Amino acid sequence: MRTHFINGEWTDASGPTFPVYNPLSDELFEECAAGTAADTEAAVAAAAAAFHAWASMAPGARQALFLKAADIVERRTEELVTLMAAEGGASRAFSTFQIRLSAAMLRQAAGWGYLPQGDVILSDTPGRTATVTRKPLGVVAGFTPWNGAFYLAWRTFLLPMAFGNTTVIKPSELAPISSGLVHAEILAEAGFPAGTFNVVTNAPEGAAAIAEVFFSSPAVRVINFTGSDKTARILGERAGRALKRMVLELGGFNPAIILDDADVEESIKAVTFGAFLHQGQVCMNTRKVYVARSLHDAFVAGLKARVESLKIGDPIDPTVIIGPLINDRAVAQIAARVKDALDRGATLVTGGYADGRLYRPTIVTNVPADAICTSGADETFGPLLVIEAFDDAEEALRKAQDTPYGLTASIMTGDRARGLAMADRFDSGIVHVNGPTMASEAALPVGGVKNSGWGRSGYYSIEDFTELRLTTVSTEPGRYPF
Ligand code: NAD
């Protein structure tokens, strides 16, 4: 039984609970506390009370805590790999990727307290000096998703904390331990002051009540949301009424364009990784490939062979690359989209079926434009990739952007200048030339445009998690018009 973490304490476990299941075996993995509005109010109050001391802590003292947390993350690697496999179906490749990124982000953020905090502005008024300083906001409330659970939870609270804010996290109910509770264990061991980081878990039906406390609490200044655009719309409407700032890291329909001068082998590797890491359940996974017709057949044949060589099974096995989808709903979404495409006349290259929740990596071609999986209107969140041949690169670029999303894109080409020129015209938060759509480094600002959200991760999140304070001081008597 796992409880909330509020004001540095694991709270009393006497209240109602909700179950968390292993996505592969469907066995009970853990019972967690089903949080209420009262739990959330207590967590917000603890974060608010901890704010001033945390915001004014010397940069070296904060740095030591972040560095210690990074060491603990690395020390606990094997345990975390097991946790992410059992709770979220993550392969070792995906969990170790997240662990590396998390430790790197902690170590980078550890130094931010020493960076310049503002500017001096010259004033036209004699004797006046003006300074503009970055100030933390107060309490940042965060929603974490289940999919890249471990890393994305760090990203949700660590960035605001590095700029002097305190936090309350509402983890995903599908993976509450790897998307929040294990972080509380790590920060408690590292010695973070009570109240700086709080976690309230919830049963699915309890999410709205927790969100309502975040929106209605004056102490909560920003809501940092990572999840789907559907949930973001619900929360965004409420945020509008509360005049509360939100950072939105949402989904994508991430295209890859393979130009006629691209290296086919490199393109096959980039697309296999980009489309099928974590069974296609990452916001940055490649959903559609536009490939120059001259390369199409070789690319599809090579991709099919590489994808069919990926081992499928229990992600606890370190040789397994493709684990289970998170639940039956996720399997049903992919099955329905594959059926829809095939019913409309698409060609199945590989996959198209599941063994329980182990859905085969699936590739379709010749997909009619009105099929759900190819239109780009709605994110497909699983191992389904659409391939389309093109004759005209301009047409491919236009089609690749004909989607309400704009998170990440990939261009494969033998000509860097050509790739950069095309990248410049992509309406997307991220474009990789000669790399997969799926790429992350702690220092790189991840974020989308259009329905993929707003805000950026890494150091650039200073824009989202601080406010500018203008302070002036005058050394001469004022000159007033009346
Ligand atoms: P989700 O939107 O279902 O849930 C996200 C969070 O919102 C969870 O904590 C959930 O409990 C909460 N939530 C859901 N409905 C709610 C409601 N009515 N009121 C209050 N809270 C509610 O998303 P998910 O399935 O957990 O994650 C997958 C989605 O997240 C995909 O769309 C993916 O692309 C996106 N994502 C984006 C990024 C990014 O960096 N851009 C990263 C990871 C995931």
Side-chain angles (χ1 to χ4, degrees):
M1 162 66 191
R2 302 295 300 253
T3 67
H4 312 304
F5 185 74
I6 299 174
N7 204 21
E9 306 271 337
W10 297 99
T11 56
D12 184 8
S14 58
T17 63
F18 69 100
V20 180
Y21 297 102
N22 175 311
L24 182 63
S25 67
D26 222 13
E27 284 164 7
L28 182 68
F29 177 66
E30 190 59 273
E31 285 281 343
C32 291
T36 60
D39 298 319
T40 317
E41 281 160 8
V44 170
F51 170 63
H52 287 293
W54 177 249
S56 54
M57 191 185 258
R62 278 219 297 258
Q63 182 178 52
L65 293 170
F66 284 118
L67 293 177
K68 189 151 182 219
D71 292 344
I72 297 169
V73 167
E74 283 176 346
R75 190 197 75 217
R76 292 185 63 172
T77 293
E78 284 311 310
E79 223 181 306
L80 292 168
V81 166
T82 306
L83 168 67
M84 283 185 252
E87 193 182 38
S91 65
R92 174 172 279 268
F94 189 46
S95 54
T96 52
F97 176 67
Q98 290 186 61
I99 291 165
R100 270 199 310 275
L101 279 176
S102 302
M105 186 184 271
L106 278 159
R107 294 196 173 109
Q108 288 170 21
W112 293 348
Y114 286 112
L115 295 175
Q117 301 293 313
D119 300 297
V120 176
I121 312 284
L122 295 185
S123 167
D124 283 332
T125 306
R128 176 184 280 169
T129 307
T131 56
V132 177
T133 324
R134 291 262 171 208
K135 293 284 182 192
L137 302 157
V139 178
V140 176
F143 291 72
T144 61
W146 60 269
N147 65 327
F150 185 66
Y151 175 60
L152 295 173
W154 285 114
R155 203 179 70 178
T156 302
F157 66 83
L158 161 67
L159 301 173
M161 285 180 77
F163 296 119
N165 302 283
T166 52
T167 53
V168 180
I169 296 299
K170 189 213 88 55
S172 166
E173 47 282 80
L174 295 172
I177 301 169
S178 36
S179 74
L181 290 174
V182 75
H183 305 74
E185 292 172 11
I186 292 166
L187 295 197
E189 183 186 338
F192 278 68
T196 53
F197 174 71
N198 305 272
V199 186
V200 178
T201 53
N202 65 284
E205 59 277 13
I210 292 180
E212 185 50 36
V213 174
F214 291 162
F215 288 116
S216 57
S217 298
V220 174
R221 301 289 295 276
V222 173
I223 294 182
N224 189 11
F225 176 82
T226 301
S228 65
D229 55 306
K230 290 177 191 65
T231 308
R233 278 174 216 281
I234 298 169
L235 300 180
E237 284 183 15
R238 181 65 187 92
R241 275 186 282 128
L243 291 182
K244 196 81 79 183
R245 246 157 79 174
M246 284 191 87
V247 177
L248 298 175
E249 297 282 6
L250 312 179
F253 192 78
N254 313 303
I257 298 182
I258 300 174
L259 295 172
D260 55 6
D261 56 4
D263 180 320
V264 175
E265 277 311 307
E266 273 303 304
S267 303
I268 289 168
K269 287 183 201 161
V271 170
T272 305
F273 176 78
F276 297 113
L277 181 72
H278 199 39
Q279 302 81 260
Q281 300 174 114
V282 183
C283 55
M284 296 179 180
N285 282 129
T286 313
R287 305 293 175 202
K288 187 162 178 182
V289 176
Y290 298 86
V291 54
R293 198 171 299 280
S294 58
L295 304 182
H296 176 271
D297 291 355
F299 172 75
V300 172
L303 186 68
K304 173 175 159 47
R306 191 171 177 93
V307 165
E308 287 177 352
S309 74
L310 302 178
K311 189 167 170 188
I312 302 175
D314 187 342
I316 209 71
D317 172 349
T319 62
V320 161
I321 300 295
I322 305 291
L325 299 192
I326 189 70
N327 54 24
D328 291 339
R329 217 173 110 217
V331 174
Q333 190 212 45
I334 300 305
R337 290 188 181 195
V338 171
K339 180 173 183 319
D340 171 72
L342 298 182
D343 285 353
R344 290 172 198 270
T347 307
L348 183 66
V349 175
T350 185
Y353 64 98
D355 173 10
R357 292 196 183 134
L358 294 171
Y359 204 103
R360 298 265 144 188
T362 299
I363 302 173
V364 286
T365 57
N366 302 316
V367 184
D370 53 355
I372 306 165
C373 67
T374 200
S375 72
D378 190 28
E379 180 185 32
T380 300
F381 209 59
L384 172 56
L385 179 69
V386 176
I387 298 181
E388 183 171 318
F390 68 81
D391 296 303
D392 174 6
E394 280 299 309
E395 175 76 353
L397 179 62
R398 190 193 59 73
K399 281 184 163 179
Q401 302 192 68
D402 187 15
T403 158
Y405 297 101
L407 184 57
T408 171
S410 155
I411 301 165
M412 301 298 291
T413 173
D415 179 346
R416 257 175 58 186
R418 187 183 179 200
L420 286 173
M422 187 176 255
D424 200 42
R425 294 167 59 206
F426 241 113
D427 195 9
S428 179
I430 306 162
V431 186
H432 299 287
V433 177
N434 292 335
T437 58
M438 173 69 233
S440 223
E441 284 181 43
L444 304 183
V446 167
V449 298
K450 304 193 283 184
N451 289 5
S452 295
W454 56 72
R456 292 292 179 273
S457 67
Y459 183 71
Y460 290 89
S461 66
I462 194 167
E463 303 284 344
D464 300 312
F465 301 125
T466 62
E467 246 156 12
L468 291 178
R469 163 84 47 81
L470 168 64
T471 310
T472 71
V473 58
S474 294
T475 55
E476 291 184 23
R479 294 176 206 171
Y480 303 102
F482 57 87

